[in-house]
Amino acid sequence: MAKNEKKEEGKKGGKGSKIIIILLIVIILALAGAVAYFAVFAKKGSTTKTAQVQQAAVQSNEEATYTFEEILTNLADQDAQRYIKVKVSLGYDSSNSKLKSELEDTKEDIKAPILESEIVKILRNQKAADFSDPKKVEEIKKQILDNVNPHLKNGVISNVYFSELLIQ
């Protein structure tokens, strides 16, 4: 009987150590997964200039806008001829008078046609269905920000607004 008791104790000890090893492996894999996630997907410590301006505009809640004339352009749909008719407004920090004068300048360094051309270029690459998906609309607005801001010398645009949006 002593032999049977020792065998049972050995089996119990073996099961316990196997469970501990499995738990350690699971914990190590979980930690490795967490480290990999943060290494790949986490935002970097420094924010971009546009992100800083957007945060400042939201915090100050004082935003001015520059609105373009109505834009009418074709969309990229292949199945049918579609077009978009939209008014686009660019939001910026209202305390930045230099940016305001740069956007509204009509004599020296005229920005409006350049900025409008960038907006049209982005809109023409979209499909009608893209404007029914809120996430895609936000991506379009981000593309506009990314393409418009490099042309500005005295500040950055923090928001893009669509109004009078019509897709035919």
PDB file of all heavy atoms in Angstrom, residues 17-38:
ATOM      1  N   SER A  17       2.625  20.636 -11.104  1.00  0.00           N
ATOM      2  CA  SER A  17       3.717  21.321 -11.793  1.00  0.00           C
ATOM      3  C   SER A  17       3.355  21.585 -13.254  1.00  0.00           C
ATOM      4  O   SER A  17       3.771  22.596 -13.817  1.00  0.00           O
ATOM      5  CB  SER A  17       5.013  20.506 -11.684  1.00  0.00           C
ATOM      6  OG  SER A  17       4.883  19.267 -12.352  1.00  0.00           O
ATOM      7  N   LYS A  18       2.576  20.711 -13.867  1.00  0.00           N
ATOM      8  CA  LYS A  18       2.136  20.948 -15.250  1.00  0.00           C
ATOM      9  C   LYS A  18       1.221  22.170 -15.326  1.00  0.00           C
ATOM     10  O   LYS A  18       1.336  22.987 -16.226  1.00  0.00           O
ATOM     11  CB  LYS A  18       1.408  19.718 -15.803  1.00  0.00           C
ATOM     12  CG  LYS A  18       2.317  18.576 -16.143  1.00  0.00           C
ATOM     13  CD  LYS A  18       1.525  17.406 -16.705  1.00  0.00           C
ATOM     14  CE  LYS A  18       2.423  16.228 -16.969  1.00  0.00           C
ATOM     15  NZ  LYS A  18       1.657  15.071 -17.465  1.00  0.00           N
ATOM     16  N   ILE A  19       0.348  22.302 -14.366  1.00  0.00           N
ATOM     17  CA  ILE A  19      -0.560  23.456 -14.334  1.00  0.00           C
ATOM     18  C   ILE A  19       0.232  24.739 -14.137  1.00  0.00           C
ATOM     19  O   ILE A  19      -0.024  25.746 -14.784  1.00  0.00           O
ATOM     20  CB  ILE A  19      -1.618  23.264 -13.223  1.00  0.00           C
ATOM     21  CG1 ILE A  19      -2.574  22.131 -13.607  1.00  0.00           C
ATOM     22  CG2 ILE A  19      -2.388  24.556 -12.989  1.00  0.00           C
ATOM     23  CD1 ILE A  19      -3.558  21.755 -12.517  1.00  0.00           C
ATOM     24  N   ILE A  20       1.208  24.706 -13.259  1.00  0.00           N
ATOM     25  CA  ILE A  20       2.044  25.891 -13.025  1.00  0.00           C
ATOM     26  C   ILE A  20       2.808  26.268 -14.288  1.00  0.00           C
ATOM     27  O   ILE A  20       2.875  27.443 -14.652  1.00  0.00           O
ATOM     28  CB  ILE A  20       3.000  25.653 -11.830  1.00  0.00           C
ATOM     29  CG1 ILE A  20       2.195  25.584 -10.540  1.00  0.00           C
ATOM     30  CG2 ILE A  20       4.049  26.758 -11.753  1.00  0.00           C
ATOM     31  CD1 ILE A  20       3.004  25.189  -9.317  1.00  0.00           C
ATOM     32  N   ILE A  21       3.349  25.275 -14.972  1.00  0.00           N
ATOM     33  CA  ILE A  21       4.088  25.544 -16.214  1.00  0.00           C
ATOM     34  C   ILE A  21       3.151  26.131 -17.266  1.00  0.00           C
ATOM     35  O   ILE A  21       3.494  27.109 -17.936  1.00  0.00           O
ATOM     36  CB  ILE A  21       4.781  24.253 -16.721  1.00  0.00           C
ATOM     37  CG1 ILE A  21       5.918  23.873 -15.784  1.00  0.00           C
ATOM     38  CG2 ILE A  21       5.298  24.449 -18.140  1.00  0.00           C
ATOM     39  CD1 ILE A  21       6.540  22.519 -16.065  1.00  0.00           C
ATOM     40  N   ILE A  22       1.965  25.576 -17.399  1.00  0.00           N
ATOM     41  CA  ILE A  22       0.996  26.092 -18.380  1.00  0.00           C
ATOM     42  C   ILE A  22       0.597  27.519 -18.033  1.00  0.00           C
ATOM     43  O   ILE A  22       0.531  28.387 -18.909  1.00  0.00           O
ATOM     44  CB  ILE A  22      -0.236  25.161 -18.461  1.00  0.00           C
ATOM     45  CG1 ILE A  22       0.162  23.833 -19.113  1.00  0.00           C
ATOM     46  CG2 ILE A  22      -1.364  25.820 -19.241  1.00  0.00           C
ATOM     47  CD1 ILE A  22      -0.910  22.768 -19.074  1.00  0.00           C
ATOM     48  N   LEU A  23       0.348  27.797 -16.761  1.00  0.00           N
ATOM     49  CA  LEU A  23      -0.001  29.157 -16.339  1.00  0.00           C
ATOM     50  C   LEU A  23       1.142  30.131 -16.625  1.00  0.00           C
ATOM     51  O   LEU A  23       0.913  31.256 -17.079  1.00  0.00           O
ATOM     52  CB  LEU A  23      -0.356  29.181 -14.851  1.00  0.00           C
ATOM     53  CG  LEU A  23      -1.733  28.616 -14.490  1.00  0.00           C
ATOM     54  CD1 LEU A  23      -1.902  28.574 -12.968  1.00  0.00           C
ATOM     55  CD2 LEU A  23      -2.832  29.432 -15.116  1.00  0.00           C
ATOM     56  N   LEU A  24       2.364  29.716 -16.362  1.00  0.00           N
ATOM     57  CA  LEU A  24       3.510  30.578 -16.655  1.00  0.00           C
ATOM     58  C   LEU A  24       3.613  30.867 -18.150  1.00  0.00           C
ATOM     59  O   LEU A  24       3.894  32.004 -18.553  1.00  0.00           O
ATOM     60  CB  LEU A  24       4.805  29.948 -16.129  1.00  0.00           C
ATOM     61  CG  LEU A  24       5.008  29.990 -14.613  1.00  0.00           C
ATOM     62  CD1 LEU A  24       6.249  29.205 -14.223  1.00  0.00           C
ATOM     63  CD2 LEU A  24       5.098  31.415 -14.130  1.00  0.00           C
ATOM     64  N   ILE A  25       3.398  29.859 -18.967  1.00  0.00           N
ATOM     65  CA  ILE A  25       3.453  30.052 -20.423  1.00  0.00           C
ATOM     66  C   ILE A  25       2.358  31.017 -20.867  1.00  0.00           C
ATOM     67  O   ILE A  25       2.600  31.926 -21.666  1.00  0.00           O
ATOM     68  CB  ILE A  25       3.343  28.698 -21.155  1.00  0.00           C
ATOM     69  CG1 ILE A  25       4.612  27.877 -20.927  1.00  0.00           C
ATOM     70  CG2 ILE A  25       3.101  28.900 -22.649  1.00  0.00           C
ATOM     71  CD1 ILE A  25       4.533  26.449 -21.439  1.00  0.00           C
ATOM     72  N   VAL A  26       1.151  30.852 -20.327  1.00  0.00           N
ATOM     73  CA  VAL A  26       0.041  31.751 -20.680  1.00  0.00           C
ATOM     74  C   VAL A  26       0.362  33.182 -20.267  1.00  0.00           C
ATOM     75  O   VAL A  26       0.138  34.132 -21.024  1.00  0.00           O
ATOM     76  CB  VAL A  26      -1.284  31.258 -20.040  1.00  0.00           C
ATOM     77  CG1 VAL A  26      -2.377  32.297 -20.156  1.00  0.00           C
ATOM     78  CG2 VAL A  26      -1.725  29.949 -20.674  1.00  0.00           C
ATOM     79  N   ILE A  27       0.896  33.365 -19.071  1.00  0.00           N
ATOM     80  CA  ILE A  27       1.246  34.710 -18.599  1.00  0.00           C
ATOM     81  C   ILE A  27       2.333  35.323 -19.473  1.00  0.00           C
ATOM     82  O   ILE A  27       2.249  36.498 -19.856  1.00  0.00           O
ATOM     83  CB  ILE A  27       1.671  34.663 -17.113  1.00  0.00           C
ATOM     84  CG1 ILE A  27       0.454  34.332 -16.237  1.00  0.00           C
ATOM     85  CG2 ILE A  27       2.301  35.987 -16.685  1.00  0.00           C
ATOM     86  CD1 ILE A  27       0.792  34.048 -14.785  1.00  0.00           C
ATOM     87  N   ILE A  28       3.344  34.542 -19.814  1.00  0.00           N
ATOM     88  CA  ILE A  28       4.432  35.043 -20.668  1.00  0.00           C
ATOM     89  C   ILE A  28       3.893  35.438 -22.034  1.00  0.00           C
ATOM     90  O   ILE A  28       4.240  36.490 -22.568  1.00  0.00           O
ATOM     91  CB  ILE A  28       5.560  33.998 -20.772  1.00  0.00           C
ATOM     92  CG1 ILE A  28       6.281  33.881 -19.422  1.00  0.00           C
ATOM     93  CG2 ILE A  28       6.544  34.362 -21.881  1.00  0.00           C
ATOM     94  CD1 ILE A  28       7.254  32.725 -19.337  1.00  0.00           C
ATOM     95  N   LEU A  29       3.025  34.598 -22.608  1.00  0.00           N
ATOM     96  CA  LEU A  29       2.430  34.927 -23.916  1.00  0.00           C
ATOM     97  C   LEU A  29       1.575  36.181 -23.832  1.00  0.00           C
ATOM     98  O   LEU A  29       1.592  37.017 -24.744  1.00  0.00           O
ATOM     99  CB  LEU A  29       1.614  33.749 -24.445  1.00  0.00           C
ATOM    100  CG  LEU A  29       2.415  32.530 -24.909  1.00  0.00           C
ATOM    101  CD1 LEU A  29       1.476  31.392 -25.275  1.00  0.00           C
ATOM    102  CD2 LEU A  29       3.314  32.886 -26.072  1.00  0.00           C
ATOM    103  N   ALA A  30       0.807  36.331 -22.754  1.00  0.00           N
ATOM    104  CA  ALA A  30      -0.018  37.526 -22.582  1.00  0.00           C
ATOM    105  C   ALA A  30       0.848  38.777 -22.481  1.00  0.00           C
ATOM    106  O   ALA A  30       0.556  39.806 -23.093  1.00  0.00           O
ATOM    107  CB  ALA A  30      -0.911  37.383 -21.357  1.00  0.00           C
ATOM    108  N   LEU A  31       1.928  38.696 -21.702  1.00  0.00           N
ATOM    109  CA  LEU A  31       2.831  39.838 -21.583  1.00  0.00           C
ATOM    110  C   LEU A  31       3.507  40.158 -22.913  1.00  0.00           C
ATOM    111  O   LEU A  31       3.637  41.324 -23.289  1.00  0.00           O
ATOM    112  CB  LEU A  31       3.881  39.576 -20.502  1.00  0.00           C
ATOM    113  CG  LEU A  31       3.380  39.609 -19.061  1.00  0.00           C
ATOM    114  CD1 LEU A  31       4.485  39.169 -18.108  1.00  0.00           C
ATOM    115  CD2 LEU A  31       2.883  40.989 -18.704  1.00  0.00           C
ATOM    116  N   ALA A  32       3.930  39.125 -23.623  1.00  0.00           N
ATOM    117  CA  ALA A  32       4.558  39.343 -24.929  1.00  0.00           C
ATOM    118  C   ALA A  32       3.562  39.978 -25.899  1.00  0.00           C
ATOM    119  O   ALA A  32       3.908  40.876 -26.667  1.00  0.00           O
ATOM    120  CB  ALA A  32       5.092  38.021 -25.487  1.00  0.00           C
ATOM    121  N   GLY A  33       2.313  39.534 -25.846  1.00  0.00           N
ATOM    122  CA  GLY A  33       1.286  40.123 -26.703  1.00  0.00           C
ATOM    123  C   GLY A  33       1.039  41.583 -26.370  1.00  0.00           C
ATOM    124  O   GLY A  33       0.889  42.424 -27.252  1.00  0.00           O
ATOM    125  N   ALA A  34       0.993  41.891 -25.076  1.00  0.00           N
ATOM    126  CA  ALA A  34       0.781  43.277 -24.658  1.00  0.00           C
ATOM    127  C   ALA A  34       1.941  44.167 -25.100  1.00  0.00           C
ATOM    128  O   ALA A  34       1.740  45.270 -25.603  1.00  0.00           O
ATOM    129  CB  ALA A  34       0.598  43.348 -23.143  1.00  0.00           C
ATOM    130  N   VAL A  35       3.158  43.685 -24.924  1.00  0.00           N
ATOM    131  CA  VAL A  35       4.337  44.450 -25.345  1.00  0.00           C
ATOM    132  C   VAL A  35       4.313  44.665 -26.857  1.00  0.00           C
ATOM    133  O   VAL A  35       4.563  45.768 -27.348  1.00  0.00           O
ATOM    134  CB  VAL A  35       5.640  43.747 -24.893  1.00  0.00           C
ATOM    135  CG1 VAL A  35       6.856  44.360 -25.554  1.00  0.00           C
ATOM    136  CG2 VAL A  35       5.764  43.798 -23.381  1.00  0.00           C
ATOM    137  N   ALA A  36       3.983  43.610 -27.597  1.00  0.00           N
ATOM    138  CA  ALA A  36       3.925  43.728 -29.059  1.00  0.00           C
ATOM    139  C   ALA A  36       2.843  44.715 -29.474  1.00  0.00           C
ATOM    140  O   ALA A  36       3.045  45.536 -30.372  1.00  0.00           O
ATOM    141  CB  ALA A  36       3.671  42.358 -29.690  1.00  0.00           C
ATOM    142  N   TYR A  37       1.693  44.669 -28.823  1.00  0.00           N
ATOM    143  CA  TYR A  37       0.603  45.599 -29.147  1.00  0.00           C
ATOM    144  C   TYR A  37       1.048  47.041 -28.946  1.00  0.00           C
ATOM    145  O   TYR A  37       0.863  47.886 -29.816  1.00  0.00           O
ATOM    146  CB  TYR A  37      -0.619  45.296 -28.281  1.00  0.00           C
ATOM    147  CG  TYR A  37      -1.717  46.319 -28.446  1.00  0.00           C
ATOM    148  CD1 TYR A  37      -2.572  46.259 -29.538  1.00  0.00           C
ATOM    149  CD2 TYR A  37      -1.881  47.361 -27.540  1.00  0.00           C
ATOM    150  CE1 TYR A  37      -3.571  47.198 -29.707  1.00  0.00           C
ATOM    151  CE2 TYR A  37      -2.863  48.305 -27.702  1.00  0.00           C
ATOM    152  CZ  TYR A  37      -3.718  48.215 -28.783  1.00  0.00           C
ATOM    153  OH  TYR A  37      -4.689  49.152 -28.952  1.00  0.00           O
ATOM    154  N   PHE A  38       1.617  47.331 -27.781  1.00  0.00           N
ATOM    155  CA  PHE A  38       2.024  48.701 -27.505  1.00  0.00           C
ATOM    156  C   PHE A  38       3.186  49.145 -28.391  1.00  0.00           C
ATOM    157  O   PHE A  38       3.291  50.310 -28.744  1.00  0.00           O
ATOM    158  CB  PHE A  38       2.369  48.887 -26.025  1.00  0.00           C
ATOM    159  CG  PHE A  38       1.149  48.905 -25.154  1.00  0.00           C
ATOM    160  CD1 PHE A  38       0.919  47.895 -24.243  1.00  0.00           C
ATOM    161  CD2 PHE A  38       0.219  49.922 -25.257  1.00  0.00           C
ATOM    162  CE1 PHE A  38      -0.209  47.898 -23.447  1.00  0.00           C
ATOM    163  CE2 PHE A  38      -0.913  49.940 -24.471  1.00  0.00           C
ATOM    164  CZ  PHE A  38      -1.133  48.919 -23.557  1.00  0.00           C
TER     165      PHE A  38
END
